[in-house]
Amino acid sequence: MHVLQVLNHVIPAVRYGGTERVVWWLSRQLAGMGHEVTLLAPAGSSCSFARVLPHDASKPLAPQVPGDVDIVHIHDHRLPALSVPTIYTFHGNLFKVGSLHENTVFISANQAARHGGNVYVHNGLDLEEYGQPDWDAPREHLVFLAKAAWKVKNVRDSISIAREAGRTIAIAGGTRLNFKMGFRFTLDRNARFLGMVDHRQKIRILNRGLALLFPVRWHEPFGLALIESLYYGNPVFGTPFGSLPEIINQDVGFLSSSRGELVRQIRELEQFDRRHCHEYVCDRFNSARMAKSYLDIYERVCNGERLHEQRPQWPDSRDAAFLALDD
């Protein structure tokens, strides 16, 4: 099968870009399984295992699609429908009234259900990129792994929960002084701000992590940080919103909307088996499993099936509101 992957950001994403990394892992896995892969991506993109064609977002998409592809896989829901078999993976949340294509694939069951859909594929890590966890490294701190400037990621509660639990916390993804989304200066010396980190730095932080704190205040579509942290043996302590209940079970973490309950469970974090957290991700959230799921969907669409009878829609307006934690 010849698959065309379409995205609006340069690939590979060496430093940031969760969506771009997922597309990269999926494409490499498909190529390794013997399928032909072409990437339609902005100028500056490069790839050793697939042909790369320049994607000019200022021009219509259809003329840029090669005539020999079997299916087009688009990773931007704003791009128009095509006459060739096409699927769209939706990587986020809709925040205004609108609808998605009938052949939209979501990245968690929760995200699909909130938009009136039922077709989803969980993201999976390319395990070779992460190496083996360093089980002998000292476990020194809790970890916050997200863009701290984004309020829904809730760095403020992460810091206070860590302090109450008697643990230090490493903030990977932000600085102590931040002007990006309103002025914020964090005085708490229990938190160590590491700025935006690259892949190598992230691995070192997670290898020395005690656990991931993920008390998000929105419906998380998936959350790569969850499975990256588990891979390195970090149990996850977070809120039960969005995808988290389908990813984090009682053997690999604890979910609650109560700060007090999160604090109490973090104090008992040694109850979790770090090697089990690692094996759980290797079994359930790997790129091979992701690619096989997408291949099943490619076949369905190439055979003329529509994934949804009706277009998935913008969810209830309350879906976009900040979710709260209890004291």
Side-chain angles (χ1 to χ4, degrees):
M1 180 175 289
H2 185 181
V3 182
L4 176 69
Q5 303 281 355
V6 181
L7 62 163
N8 277 337
H9 297 281
V10 173
I11 196 168
V14 177
R15 192 174 176 111
Y16 313 122
T19 297
E20 292 73 41
R21 286 186 293 142
V22 169
V23 176
W24 183 266
W25 299 332
L26 171 61
S27 299
R28 181 157 59 190
Q29 190 67 48
L30 290 171
M33 296 166 70
H35 299 280
E36 184 178 356
V37 180
T38 298
L39 300 174
L40 189 61
S45 298
S46 62
C47 181
S48 61
F49 53 80
R51 176 175 58 156
V52 180
L53 299 177
H55 178 207
D56 188 342
S58 68
K59 296 180 179 179
L61 175 61
Q64 301 180 63
V65 175
D68 61 341
V69 300
D70 296 304
I71 190 161
V72 179
H73 188 168
I74 295 177
H75 297 271
D76 184 341
H77 71 280
R78 298 166 297 181
L79 293 178
L82 299 170
S83 58
V84 297
T86 306
I87 72 165
Y88 298 73
T89 294
F90 185 46
H91 295 272
N93 286 321
L94 281 177
F95 288 115
K96 59 182 179 180
V97 176
S99 61
L100 301 167
H101 194 275
E102 291 95 338
N103 283 346
T104 293
V105 178
F106 296 90
I107 55 176
S108 68
N110 175 274
Q111 183 209 26
R114 286 185 292 103
H115 293 84
N118 56 22
V119 179
Y120 68 93
V121 174
H122 284 148
N123 292 330
L125 303 179
D126 185 335
L127 303 181
E128 291 184 4
E129 277 197 13
Y130 288 82
Q132 284 298 311
D134 183 354
W135 300 116
D136 296 324
R139 299 283 173 165
E140 302 171 336
H141 47 243
L142 299 175
V143 177
F144 174 92
L145 182 58
K147 292 181 180 178
W150 204 1
K151 292 182 180 178
V152 295
K153 297 297 186 177
N154 201 11
V155 68
R156 179 176 297 177
D157 277 328
S158 296
I159 293 171
S160 67
I161 289 169
R163 183 178 61 252
E164 291 178 41
R167 302 287 191 175
T168 59
I169 185 168
I171 309 297
T175 57
R176 197 173 294 277
L177 178 63
N178 193 292
F179 293 98
K180 289 185 178 179
M181 300 188 72
F183 176 79
R184 189 196 75 234
F185 181 69
T186 305
L187 286 168
D188 197 315
R189 294 299 173 183
N190 196 58
R192 185 161 57 99
F193 285 81
L194 305 176
M196 304 303 287
V197 299
D198 61 22
H199 187 66
R200 182 182 299 179
Q201 292 169 317
K202 177 171 59 180
I203 289 175
R204 185 178 187 279
I205 293 163
L206 291 175
N207 264 320
R208 294 175 176 269
L210 289 162
L212 178 75
L213 261 180
F214 206 78
V216 291
R217 296 185 59 194
W218 76 327
H219 291 295
E220 188 72 30
F222 181 81
L224 277 180
L226 301 173
I227 58 176
E228 288 179 319
S229 299
L230 289 170
Y231 181 84
Y232 289 104
N234 292 278
V236 174
F237 296 85
T239 42
F241 304 142
S243 66
L244 272 76
E246 64 193 88
I247 298 174
I248 306 304
N249 61 40
Q250 63 183 2
D251 295 325
V252 298
F254 177 79
L255 304 178
S256 176
S257 58
S258 165
R259 292 183 185 85
E261 287 187 3
L262 288 169
V263 168
R264 285 191 290 275
Q265 290 297 317
I266 289 170
R267 289 172 178 164
E268 304 294 329
L269 62 80
E270 296 304 331
Q271 66 183 292
F272 294 99
D273 184 333
R274 298 189 183 281
R275 291 180 184 269
H276 175 72
C277 292
H278 170 75
E279 292 164 0
Y280 169 75
V281 167
C282 291
D283 291 341
R284 292 194 52 186
F285 298 100
N286 60 75
S287 59
R289 185 168 181 166
M290 173 175 63
K292 290 175 183 175
S293 296
Y294 272 116
L295 282 170
D296 289 342
I297 292 172
Y298 294 163
E299 292 286 351
R300 291 166 58 186
V301 173
C302 285
N303 289 331
E305 180 181 341
R306 285 196 305 176
L307 299 181
H308 299 97
E309 290 301 317
Q310 297 182 339
R311 295 168 70 95
Q313 300 288 323
W314 180 67
D316 189 290
S317 60
R318 290 172 295 181
D319 192 65
F322 275 152
L323 302 169
L325 274 73
D326 304 321
D327 291 330

